[in-house]
């Protein structure tokens, strides 16, 4: 599971929340393939 | 001779005459003798009569004597009568005087009567006037009666109007209530969304400060790091405030489900939880009789969490903190009390005690947001109960909550 790259879809309209979330994910090396949308 | 014859004849005649006269005289004598005898007999009778009369006179003399005595007696009587008459006279004089007095009085009385008559006439005149006045008043009264009848009519009209207005008013009340409910609802959702929307910028402030601390701590000096800590602690405090506000507005929206609640169960678990949270504190908690009530279990638990945690908090600076929890029946209600020997409060500021965000102690002294008691009041009000408190600075506080008693 750890070697599989899963795509993460983040839908967050709050810019600050999005930045903080992406940062946290990056810190744990989980943001390799992340797509961020502001509206579902 | 002739003459002598004549004379003799005459003498014879005379002698005859005398003889006749003698006879007559004789007869007269006889008669007189007879008369004398009669008279003697009469005299005898008269003498007898005299003797009788003398006897009578003697009797009369005796009678006179008696009459004399009688007279003397009568004189005495007359004297005493005279005396009596004197007295009677005096009496009469007195009576006369009295009569005069009375006459004078009568004169006065007469005058009085005359005066009274005059007065009566005056009164009669006045009565006449009064009668006229009465007649006038009667007329006025009749007028008034007519006016009253009109007024009654008007009143009935007014009543009808009032009834109509009341119906209108009820409609208005219903309308207004709906409006108010809508406004209330709006306000609640407003405060909910405000607190909700306040959270996200706060979360950003908190998050980015955290980022700075984590990733750039080495680029900051001690003062910079202290400032970062202050930002974080303040934003956390604000978060707590918002949470409490949310909770507070949430209670307003919540509907309560009434059931019998075992208060001993709730309070025991609340106390256990608080002791568990602060294991270092040696707080003596005594629980007296705890009655069951009718209410919403979760809400009531919130009430006692707030009350008992306050008691824990405000007795934090006392050497031997003691908390007493109990209840007593109070009519259709059961009144609970939570009493501590902590910091207490100043009764002068009592009216602020249950206000939202109102605090009687500084944050440095005791931490808090000032919402706990406001929440209690709101919940208790929803239970048609009452909350009040007594306190004295540095001696402790006692909070009372009355809730509907369980059947």
């Amino acid at each position: 599971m750890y070697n599989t790259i899963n795509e993460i879809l983040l839908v967050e309209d709050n810019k600050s929340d999005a930045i903080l979330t992406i940062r946290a994910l990056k810190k744990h090396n989980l943001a390799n393939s992340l797509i961020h949308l502001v509206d579902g | 001779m002739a003459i002598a014859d004549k004379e003799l004849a005459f003498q014879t005649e005379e002698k005859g005459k005398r003889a006749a006269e003698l006879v007559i005289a004789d007869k007269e004598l006889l008669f007189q003798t007879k008369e004398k005898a009669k008279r003697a007999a009469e005299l005898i009778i008269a003498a007898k009569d005299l003797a009788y009369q003398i006897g009578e006179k003697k009797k009369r003399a005796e009678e006179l004597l008696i009459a004399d005595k009688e007279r003397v007696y009568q004189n005495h009587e007359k004297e005493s009568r005279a005396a009596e008459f004197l007295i009677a006279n005096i009496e009469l004089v007195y009576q006369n005087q009295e009569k005069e007095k009375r006459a004078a009085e009568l004169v006065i009385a007469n005058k009085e009567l005359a005066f009274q008559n005059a007065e009566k006439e005056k009164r009669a005149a006045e009565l006449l006037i009064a009668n006229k006045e009465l007649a006038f008043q009667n007329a006025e009264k009749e007028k008034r009666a007519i006016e009253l009848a009109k007024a009654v009519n008007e009143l009935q009209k007014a009543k009808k109007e009032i009834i109509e207005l009341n119906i209108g008013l009820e409609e208005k009340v219903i309308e207004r209530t709906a409006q108010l409910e809508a406004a209330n609802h709006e306000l609640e959702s407003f405060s909910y969304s405000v607190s909700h929307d306040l959270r996200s910028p706060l979360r950003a402030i908190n998050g980015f400060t955290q980022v700075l601390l984590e990733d750039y701590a080495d680029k900051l000096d001690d003062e910079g790091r202290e400032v970062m800590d202050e930002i974080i602690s303040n934003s956390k405090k604000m978060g707590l405030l918002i949470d409490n506000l949310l909770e507070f507005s949430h209670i307003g929206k919540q509907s309560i489900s009434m059931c019998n609640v075992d208060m001993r169960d709730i309070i025991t678990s609340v106390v256990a939880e608080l002791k568990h949270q602060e294991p270092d504190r040696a707080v003596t908690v005594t629980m007296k009789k705890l009655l069951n009530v009718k209410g919403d279990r979760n809400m009531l638990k919130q009430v006692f969490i707030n009350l008992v945690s306050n008691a824990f908090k405000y007795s934090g600076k006392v050497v031997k903190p003691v908390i007493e929890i109990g209840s007593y029946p109070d009519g259709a209600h059961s009144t609970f009390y939570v009493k501590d020997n902590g910091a207490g409060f100043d009764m002068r500021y009592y009216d602020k005690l249950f206000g939202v965000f109102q605090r009687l102690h500084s944050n440095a002294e005791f931490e808090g947001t000032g919402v706990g008691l406001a929440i209690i009041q709101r919940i208790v009000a929803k239970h048609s109960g009452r909350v009040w408190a007594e306190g004295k600075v540095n001696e402790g506080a006692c909070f009372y909550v009355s809730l509907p008693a369980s059947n």
Side-chain angles (χ1 to χ4, degrees):
Chain A
M1 282 292 279
Y2 282 107
N3 299 322
T4 328
I5 293 171
N6 285 324
E7 284 196 356
I8 296 169
L9 177 66
L10 174 68
V11 183
E12 173 62 68
D13 64 340
N14 189 309
K15 196 183 147 205
S16 298
D17 283 349
I19 293 170
L20 286 168
T21 310
I22 293 163
R23 189 183 165 277
L25 289 169
K26 267 184 186 166
K27 264 202 154 179
H28 295 89
N29 295 317
L30 288 167
N32 296 339
S33 59
L34 184 137
I35 300 163
H36 172 219
L37 298 173
V38 290
D39 197 334
Chain B
M1 270 283 269
I3 302 176
D5 272 345
K6 281 182 176 177
E7 191 60 21
L8 221 86
F10 179 68
Q11 279 177 352
T12 337
E13 244 180 271
E14 276 290 307
K15 278 176 184 169
K17 271 184 188 177
R18 277 207 190 159
E21 279 173 9
L22 272 168
V23 169
I24 291 162
D26 232 29
K27 279 180 183 173
E28 184 72 18
L29 223 121
L30 194 84
F31 176 72
Q32 279 181 356
T33 311
K34 276 182 184 173
E35 280 293 303
K36 273 176 188 168
K38 266 187 191 173
R39 284 219 185 146
E42 279 173 11
L43 272 169
I44 287 164
I45 291 160
K48 279 178 184 172
D49 202 36
L50 223 112
Y52 173 76
Q53 278 177 1
I54 284 164
E56 282 296 301
K57 272 174 189 168
K58 270 182 189 167
K59 270 186 193 168
R60 285 215 184 143
E62 276 166 7
E63 280 171 12
L64 274 170
L65 255 171
I66 291 160
D68 236 31
K69 278 177 188 169
E70 181 71 18
R71 240 180 237 156
V72 168
Y73 172 74
Q74 279 178 3
N75 274 344
H76 272 299
E77 282 296 302
K78 273 174 190 168
E79 269 165 24
S80 57
R81 284 215 186 143
E84 280 170 8
F85 271 140
L86 254 171
I87 292 160
N89 253 337
I90 289 163
E91 180 70 19
L92 243 150
V93 167
Y94 173 74
Q95 281 179 4
N96 273 341
Q97 275 171 358
E98 283 296 302
K99 274 174 189 168
E100 270 166 22
K101 267 190 199 167
R102 289 218 180 136
E105 280 169 14
L106 272 169
V107 166
I108 290 161
N110 257 340
K111 277 178 188 170
E112 180 70 18
L113 243 148
F115 175 72
Q116 284 177 6
N117 274 342
E119 284 295 304
K120 274 176 187 166
E121 271 167 23
K122 267 190 200 165
R123 291 222 179 131
E126 282 169 12
L127 271 169
L128 256 171
I129 292 162
N131 260 340
K132 277 180 189 167
E133 180 71 16
L134 243 148
F136 175 73
Q137 283 178 6
N138 275 341
E140 284 293 302
K141 273 177 189 166
E142 270 168 25
K143 269 189 201 166
R144 288 222 181 131
I146 291 162
E147 280 168 13
L148 258 164
K150 272 186 199 168
V152 164
N153 263 340
E154 273 167 32
L155 227 129
Q156 272 168 350
K157 267 188 204 167
K159 258 187 189 171
K160 264 186 192 172
E161 271 171 36
I162 284 168
I163 289 164
E164 277 163 23
L165 278 171
N166 265 338
I167 292 163
L169 209 89
E170 264 168 39
E171 279 166 10
K172 264 190 190 166
V173 164
I174 290 163
E175 204 178 297
R176 283 274 159 83
T177 308
Q179 279 173 3
L180 269 167
E181 269 169 9
N184 234 346
H185 190 73
E186 236 170 79
L187 227 121
E188 265 161 18
S189 57
F190 171 76
S191 69
Y192 182 80
S193 63
V194 161
S195 13
H196 190 262
D197 291 353
L198 279 174
R199 264 176 152 181
S200 58
L202 194 65
R203 207 165 44 240
I205 293 165
N206 198 27
F208 287 111
T209 318
Q210 201 73 45
V211 169
L212 277 176
L213 265 182
E214 279 175 20
D215 296 356
Y216 303 93
D218 52 334
K219 287 180 184 165
L220 289 169
D221 59 5
D222 284 351
E223 203 187 343
R225 278 190 289 274
E226 233 172 73
V227 169
M228 292 291 127
D229 284 339
E230 275 304 303
I231 292 169
I232 288 169
S233 87
N234 272 292
S235 64
K236 273 186 183 162
K237 214 175 280 168
M238 193 168 168
L240 199 68
L241 275 171
I242 290 165
D243 285 348
N244 286 330
L245 200 63
L246 264 175
E247 200 186 323
F248 184 67
S249 74
H250 186 61
I251 287 158
K253 282 202 241 171
Q254 253 180 313
S255 55
I256 59 169
S257 55
M258 300 285 262
C259 60
N260 278 332
V261 181
D262 183 350
M263 293 306 285
R264 177 163 285 278
D265 185 39
I266 284 180
I267 291 166
T268 310
S269 76
V270 166
V271 170
E273 217 172 291
L274 284 165
K275 277 190 169 172
H276 180 71
Q277 277 174 23
E278 293 179 79
D280 301 334
R281 297 264 322 267
V283 182
T284 313
V285 181
T286 50
M287 280 191 274
K288 298 277 165 95
K289 191 182 178 185
L290 294 169
L291 299 158
N292 287 357
V293 298
K294 249 190 322 193
D296 187 298
R297 193 185 156 85
N298 291 328
M299 284 191 185
L300 292 182
K301 186 163 186 178
Q302 187 61 55
V303 167
F304 282 91
I305 287 171
N306 291 5
L307 277 179
V308 183
S309 66
N310 271 354
F312 264 72
K313 181 162 69 183
Y314 291 105
S315 62
K317 290 175 182 173
V318 180
V319 183
K320 279 185 179 173
V322 177
I323 297 169
E324 188 186 313
I325 306 165
S327 68
Y328 53 88
D330 184 8
H333 284 74
S334 296
T335 297
F336 290 78
Y337 64 88
V338 178
K339 193 175 164 186
D340 66 63
N341 61 345
F345 64 88
D346 193 335
M347 283 299 270
R348 279 183 296 174
Y349 307 116
Y350 181 78
D351 55 326
K352 293 192 168 171
L353 200 59
F354 294 97
V356 186
F357 295 140
Q358 295 280 5
R359 299 210 61 208
L360 302 188
H361 296 276
S362 72
N363 227 22
E365 259 187 305
F366 297 101
E367 280 196 346
T369 56
V371 182
L373 287 176
I375 287 171
I376 290 172
Q377 196 176 42
R378 214 152 176 193
I379 293 173
V380 171
K382 278 208 158 210
H383 284 80
S384 345
R386 209 161 66 85
V387 60
W388 68 100
E390 287 164 2
K392 216 170 178 188
V393 176
N394 293 329
E395 285 183 26
C398 187
F399 283 82
Y400 299 87
V401 171
S402 83
L403 295 162
S406 152
N407 302 328

